[in-house]
Amino acid sequence: MELNLSERLALIAEAVRPGDVIADIGTDHGYLPIWLIQNKICQKAILADINEGPLEKAEFNIKKYLGDAEIDLRKGNGLKILHPGEADTIVIAGMGGILIKKILAASSNTAKSANRLILQPRRDAAILREYLINESGFIIVEEKVVIEKKKFSEIMVAVPSEDVIDDETRLKLKFVENLADRSGLPEEFFYEFPKLYFYGNKSVEDMIKFRLKGALMIKDSIIKRASTSESRVKLSIIENRIKHLEIFLNLYKSEFK
């Protein structure tokens, strides 16, 4: 029986390189590694979860879609179920960005022993991105956005060294390197809206517009309240955010799209 992935998982699968050993941390139903093996992209996968229930669910799906194929199922916390170098690609998807950060920081040697991280935080993507850029030693080389069940999911791909970056990606990184200077946007803005979004997909623009709409609604709400020093401060902050979002959106639509 052939397994069909959701658009979110399909985008994650696209970032997996053929032949890699994949570790799917917090595997839940196991659909991603099952699909990768079923389509002969990966020959080996490690499926891990901290709870027994998801592993039982994954085991059921393995039998359903792969028959008697032997798949490595492991119960444990984060990357502690891995030995350094055991996985080429580590996938952590569907958790909060703060939790993903904690998982990576708790087993940094194991994380750095992989050639690639594919991360999809459900929330707090900016916190995870800031950690990756400033503390982890990883380089983010790809950013994608997908809409699933009316929610935006952000997918980031990170590598531990410049030595493994291909020439095309190197050119992209160089092109956006000075984007803060060219745009006038503060560097911290790019933790929430990374520069590599300019090489993203259509859903990137939808997400920028969605957050801009939300900021405009907040502004209207503040204006309707009584004028106090506190509301004036809040109004100044949200107007600044609106200005930054409009600059970013205009750049995306004109210069880079």
Side-chain angles (χ1 to χ4, degrees):
M1 182 183 296
E2 187 174 350
L3 173 64
N4 293 315
L5 293 180
S6 67
E7 191 175 354
R8 176 180 67 93
L9 289 179
L11 270 181
I12 293 172
E14 281 181 14
V16 177
R17 297 171 306 177
D20 273 7
V21 175
I22 180 178
D24 187 21
I25 307 300
T27 192
D28 195 13
H29 39 53
Y31 287 157
L32 176 68
I34 289 170
W35 186 90
L36 290 168
I37 290 173
Q38 195 175 56
N39 287 271
K40 299 186 176 8
I41 294 169
C42 296
Q43 302 226 338
K44 182 178 178 182
I46 301 164
L47 287 70
D49 207 285
I50 196 170
N51 296 311
E52 192 69 40
L55 290 175
E56 290 176 355
K57 195 190 313 180
E59 187 174 22
F60 173 84
N61 287 326
I62 289 166
K63 291 177 181 177
K64 179 178 179 180
Y65 292 105
L66 296 176
D68 295 328
E70 289 189 14
I71 305 293
D72 195 343
L73 293 167
R74 301 183 188 181
K75 182 183 177 183
N77 189 3
L79 301 185
K80 293 177 182 177
I81 55 90
L82 287 175
H83 299 297
E86 197 174 10
D88 303 304
T89 293
I90 294 171
V91 176
I92 311 178
M95 303 181 196
I98 294 173
L99 178 55
I100 295 175
K101 171 186 170 180
K102 287 179 179 178
I103 288 171
L104 295 174
S107 304
S108 58
N109 288 337
T110 302
K112 289 177 183 177
S113 72
N115 296 325
R116 174 168 290 220
L117 303 178
I118 305 174
L119 310 172
Q120 185 265 302
R122 282 292 188 195
R123 56 190 173 276
D124 298 316
I127 293 173
L128 175 59
R129 207 172 273 119
E130 185 175 3
Y131 166 75
L132 289 170
I133 293 168
N134 294 328
E135 299 179 49
S136 72
F138 278 85
I139 302 164
I140 300 174
V141 295
E142 188 176 356
E143 295 265 9
K144 298 286 185 183
V145 176
V146 63
I147 302 173
E148 185 176 79
K149 296 179 181 177
K150 298 183 180 179
K151 293 183 179 179
F152 291 97
S153 293
E154 300 173 72
I155 298 164
M156 54 190 82
V157 180
V159 298
S161 168
E162 285 192 17
D163 296 339
V164 296
I165 299 175
D166 59 70
D167 290 341
E168 182 182 356
T169 302
R170 201 179 301 278
L171 285 172
K172 289 179 180 179
L173 293 172
K174 187 173 180 59
F175 189 64
V176 298
E177 185 178 0
N178 298 317
L179 185 59
D181 293 335
R182 298 203 306 272
S183 65
L185 292 167
E187 277 290 351
E188 57 267 25
F189 178 85
F190 297 108
Y191 293 136
E192 183 180 359
F193 296 94
K195 299 168 185 178
L196 281 169
Y197 271 178
F198 290 119
Y199 292 97
N201 47 1
K202 176 64 172 63
S203 294
V204 168
E205 183 176 343
D206 294 334
M207 188 179 74
I208 301 167
K209 289 178 177 178
F210 176 80
R211 293 190 181 169
L212 177 57
K213 181 180 177 181
L216 289 167
M217 290 173 66
I218 292 171
K219 178 184 174 181
D220 288 342
S221 176
I222 294 171
I223 290 172
K224 288 175 183 177
R225 296 177 198 162
S227 179
T228 63
S229 58
E230 184 182 358
S231 64
R232 284 194 292 272
V233 170
K234 289 181 178 179
L235 182 61
S236 176
I237 291 170
I238 199 65
E239 284 180 336
N240 205 39
R241 176 172 173 80
I242 290 167
K243 176 185 173 184
H244 291 163
L245 286 167
E246 288 175 339
I247 290 170
F248 193 76
L249 179 60
N250 289 332
L251 277 170
Y252 182 83
K253 290 167 70 175
S254 60
E255 185 174 350
F256 294 94
K257 193 175 174 185

